[in-house]
Amino acid sequence: MRIIFLGPPGAGKGTQAKRLTDKYGIPQLSTGDMLRAAVTAGTDIGKRAKEVMDAGGLVSDDIVNQIVSERIQEADCSKGFILDGYPRTVPQARALAENMKASNLVLDAVIELKVDEEALIRRIENRVAETIAAGGTVRSDDNPESFRKRLTEYREKTAPLSEYYAGEGQLVVLDGMAEMDTVSEEISRVLEKA
Ligand code: AMP
């Protein structure tokens, strides 16, 4: 099973992707997590990405395409994977399609979680409050200014992917405002048909 989740920051992609990893035994590939790990490890990629990420911008297509093309060749991806936060631009979607074609891999579903922006801002505030309450570290881009920039980037660069995948006949749009369990049930229904 090879799945892409689309949706703005805070739409619940990560939460839903995590649930699917348990159900299907396939990994969640979050480019955000991979980039944050690179920043923490102080690698070259991490050093190049940090400033852009903190400001809520998008890291260059070349960097993320490279990371994902290597990651999907790893052994734990042999039965499939769930892409969370990638692709984020049409050129990334094209690079992914080429990559998958070269390895004879087929995409099973592209699921977009639709949410309204006011609710997103509340979700991010809750995520920050919960992280602090749990004694965790708040992401350096989970602040109002960077979040606004991330939403703008989404609208300008990632939202066009809906049209791209709709054109490929692969897009399913679900209501990301519904209860988390309801969204999970809807996703299961979509994947059963895929
Ligand atoms: P996320 O955890 O998906 O919200 O991603 C956090 C940040 O990592 C984003 O705001 C971007 O700066 C960067 N990032 C993650 N995935 C991508 C991607 N596919 N393309 C470009 N930048 C990305």
Side-chain angles (χ1 to χ4, degrees), residues 30-50 53 59 63-64 67:
S30 155
T31 41
D33 284 349
M34 294 179 211
L35 289 166
R36 280 184 288 278
V39 170
T40 305
T43 65
D44 274 354
I45 286 180
K47 282 180 197 143
R48 280 156 68 194
K50 182 175 173 24
M53 290 173 75
V59 174
I63 290 180
V64 284
I67 293 178

Side-chain angles (χ1 to χ4, degrees), residues 50-109:
K50 182 175 173 24
E51 210 174 305
V52 181
M53 290 173 75
D54 283 350
L58 288 186
V59 174
S60 82
D61 289 342
D62 288 349
I63 290 180
V64 284
N65 287 339
Q66 181 70 28
I67 293 178
V68 174
S69 75
E70 286 170 8
R71 183 67 185 87
I72 63 176
Q73 301 300 333
E74 285 176 28
D76 63 334
C77 292
S78 62
K79 282 196 295 172
F81 47 78
I82 306 154
L83 287 168
D84 157 17
Y86 179 91
R88 247 176 164 101
T89 64
V90 173
Q92 288 181 21
R94 294 212 172 100
L96 174 68
E98 272 172 32
N99 251 319
M100 290 183 67
K101 199 172 163 202
S103 306
N104 283 324
L105 301 177
V106 177
L107 202 53
D108 295 287

